[in-house]
Amino acid sequence: MLDSGATLGLHSVEQYTPLIGLEAVERILQKAELLRAMHVVHVSSTFYGGGVTEMLTPLTLMMNASGIQTGWRMMQGTPGFFTCTKKLHNALQGEDLPFSDADKGIYEQVTFENALRLDVEDADAVIVHDPQPLPLISVVPEREAPWIWQCHIELSSPNRPVWDYLRGFVEQYDTAVFHLPEYAQDLGIEQRFILPAIDPFSAKNRDLTGAEIDECLAFHRIPLDRPLIVQVSRFDRWKDPWGVIEAFRQARKVVDCTLVLLGNTAVDDPEAKVILETIHSSADERLLVLTVDDATLVNALQRRAAVVLQKSIREGFGLTVAEAMWKGAAVIGGNVGGIRRQIRDGENGFLVDTPTQAADRIVQLLTDPGLKQQLGANAKNTVRENFLLTRLMEDWIDLLAEKSGAPH
Ligand code: UDP
């Protein structure tokens, strides 16, 4: 039988004491105590792939471990539905594309079907993530509990007609949560800002010994005879895999190195397969394209890499950036969106606008052995102070307490 006590112990706030201090741990536990009677339900489009899933997995576990009953419902969507919602995702990140009446029909019909079996009547708060399940709210007209919509997408310049269409759903919520004030919109409801965070104890982020790293990289046949340049990302055009390959090609002319592109495909991202095929055609023995689903491999690569790239051209917040920074990696990030809040250029990593700038930074890092250590130490501190799961949970507890009228 499952030992839920032991399982939840793995996700307790207390285990963060060495990282955030006893005072912070006690403060968070006291706040959690006030929400003990609450039943919170998260709704997202998939349990697998992408940052929302990465974050909700430890967040829901830690909320339960802290005594707040927290559930997580998933949307069931058809491939046609996810094609439509990926269009919404791209349009919200600024792409100029139409969202036709037929698209709206599929989007609303599938959401309607999901709403029928959503089962949130006894929830004290419902938190809906991203555009996929956004219209659910319109099918639950009799609501007593607060409904909160959190958008994880970079919203600095959304496609206007698409945003205006979605706004009709967003404004039915009590509160909209974005990552950054820069993503605030002209809305008739309250807007709040909560940045994501990582679980430092997960298989992806926990400490690994040198031997564990070696074993994992050897198992996956990663060549270690040259410095490793790594990008871990869904195969998505916004992650700019072609820019990464271009930067690698330019850097290699100066210092030889190996590029590893590790990616997965989320079930709600139908474009990934096509992008993966085009990248595969660039692969050779020095340019590895991997699609292995292995959190320890992500961990080992981020730890062993001479340089971690996240050369996104749009990014609400780069979880991969926080993961790599936590490991003391030298991270070169795209100078966009949430990455700008994570990396202070030249202090705890580098920000770049073009493949050539990325190539120059790669060369600089490969030829200055002390630089990685210096940036990496600052990077780890940045994550410890700002981007650990306890901070995320405290932000949510504060918001939920406010919404539910609990003292806080
Ligand atoms: N990820 C992974 N394996 C992969 C690619 C990505 O585990 O092959 C994880 C990555 O470590 C991170 C998340 O997926 O935790 C991606 O989150 P991010 O915010 O970087 O991007 P998103 O996919 O949400 O746009």
Side-chain angles (χ1 to χ4, degrees):
M1 206 176 107
L2 204 98
D3 179 356
S4 62
T7 307
L8 289 177
L10 289 176
H11 300 279
S12 71
V13 179
E14 286 89 340
Q15 68 180 331
Y16 283 73
T17 309
L19 302 178
I20 62 170
L22 189 59
E23 201 184 313
V25 166
E26 284 177 347
R27 182 185 67 239
I28 296 168
L29 287 174
Q30 268 171 15
K31 289 183 180 183
E33 189 62 34
L34 299 172
L35 297 191
R36 264 184 174 269
M38 234 183 152
H39 177 204
V40 179
V41 175
H42 289 267
V43 186
S44 76
S45 78
T46 163
F47 284 142
Y48 176 74
V52 176
T53 308
E54 286 289 331
M55 212 164 32
L56 282 185
T57 302
L59 178 65
T60 51
L61 289 169
M62 193 192 259
M63 287 182 75
N64 279 297
S66 309
I68 306 167
Q69 191 195 341
T70 307
W72 181 4
R73 311 263 195 281
M74 185 183 65
M75 292 275 295
Q76 290 171 17
T78 56
F81 172 75
F82 288 129
T83 301
C84 290
T85 58
K86 187 67 204 259
K87 273 192 201 171
L88 290 176
H89 179 105
N90 290 340
L92 290 183
Q93 299 219 123
E95 199 174 317
D96 185 18
L97 46 79
F99 197 67
S100 67
D101 286 346
D103 292 333
K104 290 177 189 168
I106 295 170
Y107 178 51
E108 291 176 26
Q109 174 64 24
V110 172
T111 328
F112 172 72
E113 290 166 3
N114 275 269
L116 294 178
R117 50 182 178 239
L118 192 62
D119 186 23
V120 290
E121 283 73 28
D122 69 336
D124 300 303
V126 179
I127 304 168
V128 173
H129 295 267
D130 274 345
Q132 297 92 332
L134 172 67
L136 282 175
I137 193 162
S138 51
V139 198
V140 190
E142 310 262 302
R143 302 179 296 273
E144 280 178 23
W147 278 57
I148 299 168
W149 182 58
Q150 181 168 31
C151 181
H152 298 263
I153 295 172
E154 182 181 330
L155 268 189
S156 43
S157 52
N159 171 309
R160 274 294 138 198
V162 169
W163 174 252
D164 286 342
Y165 163 63
L166 292 180
R167 179 214 301 267
F169 298 114
V170 176
E171 288 187 328
Q172 295 175 44
Y173 284 76
D174 296 274
T175 304
V177 177
F178 302 106
H179 289 159
L180 295 172
E182 295 92 288
Y183 305 160
Q185 300 296 316
D186 179 18
L187 284 172
I189 59 166
E190 178 196 34
Q191 303 185 55
R192 301 289 279 262
F193 308 99
I194 297 182
L195 281 162
I198 63 160
D199 172 3
F201 302 109
S202 66
K204 183 171 293 171
N205 296 319
R206 74 173 177 89
D207 280 344
L208 293 178
T209 63
E212 285 175 313
I213 297 172
D214 289 344
E215 192 189 333
C216 175
L217 297 181
F219 179 80
H220 289 287
R221 301 209 166 99
I222 310 290
L224 296 177
D225 53 339
R226 319 253 155 96
L228 287 182
I229 316 297
V230 169
Q231 176 158 304
V232 178
S233 273
R234 283 183 299 109
F235 292 107
D236 181 313
R237 75 182 94 144
W238 304 107
K239 311 288 184 186
D240 197 18
W242 303 288
V244 171
I245 292 171
E246 176 55 29
F248 165 69
R249 288 199 172 127
Q250 289 183 25
R252 260 193 96 185
K253 290 184 187 151
V254 188
V255 188
D256 206 5
C257 45
T258 299
L259 175 65
V260 180
L261 289 170
L262 172 64
N264 59 10
T265 54
V267 289
D268 59 352
D269 183 358
E271 289 177 344
K273 257 174 102 177
V274 182
I275 289 171
L276 179 57
E277 274 162 28
T278 66
I279 297 168
H280 256 309
S281 59
S282 305
D284 61 38
E285 78 278 7
R286 289 280 151 220
L287 196 170
L288 280 68
V289 181
L290 303 178
T291 55
V292 191
D293 177 23
D294 180 350
T296 306
L297 177 60
V298 175
N299 194 341
L301 281 171
Q302 289 173 333
R303 284 181 192 279
R304 185 52 58 83
V307 178
V308 171
L309 284 171
Q310 189 54 59
K311 219 207 99 6
S312 306
I313 44 182
R314 287 278 191 280
E315 193 69 75
F317 178 93
L319 265 194
T320 51
V321 172
E323 289 159 3
M325 288 173 76
W326 175 244
K327 295 163 185 120
V331 184
I332 301 175
N335 185 18
V336 294
I339 299 178
R340 286 191 190 144
R341 276 296 191 92
Q342 301 173 259
I343 296 180
R344 291 185 302 278
D345 190 36
E347 205 179 305
N348 59 4
F350 288 120
L351 290 170
V352 295
D353 290 297
T354 62
T356 301
Q357 284 178 7
D360 290 346
R361 292 303 190 188
I362 293 172
V363 171
Q364 188 184 354
L365 280 158
L366 296 186
T367 50
D368 179 351
L371 187 55
K372 175 182 167 187
Q373 257 189 337
Q374 178 199 324
L375 297 174
N378 293 338
K380 181 155 189 161
N381 263 334
T382 303
V383 177
R384 194 172 47 73
E385 287 167 8
N386 303 285
F387 302 124
L388 293 183
L389 193 63
T390 34
R391 195 272 305 146
L392 177 67
M393 189 171 94
E394 187 171 9
D395 284 352
W396 272 112
I397 289 177
D398 287 343
L399 181 54
L400 290 168
E402 224 179 276
K403 295 282 134 198
S404 70
H408 56 280

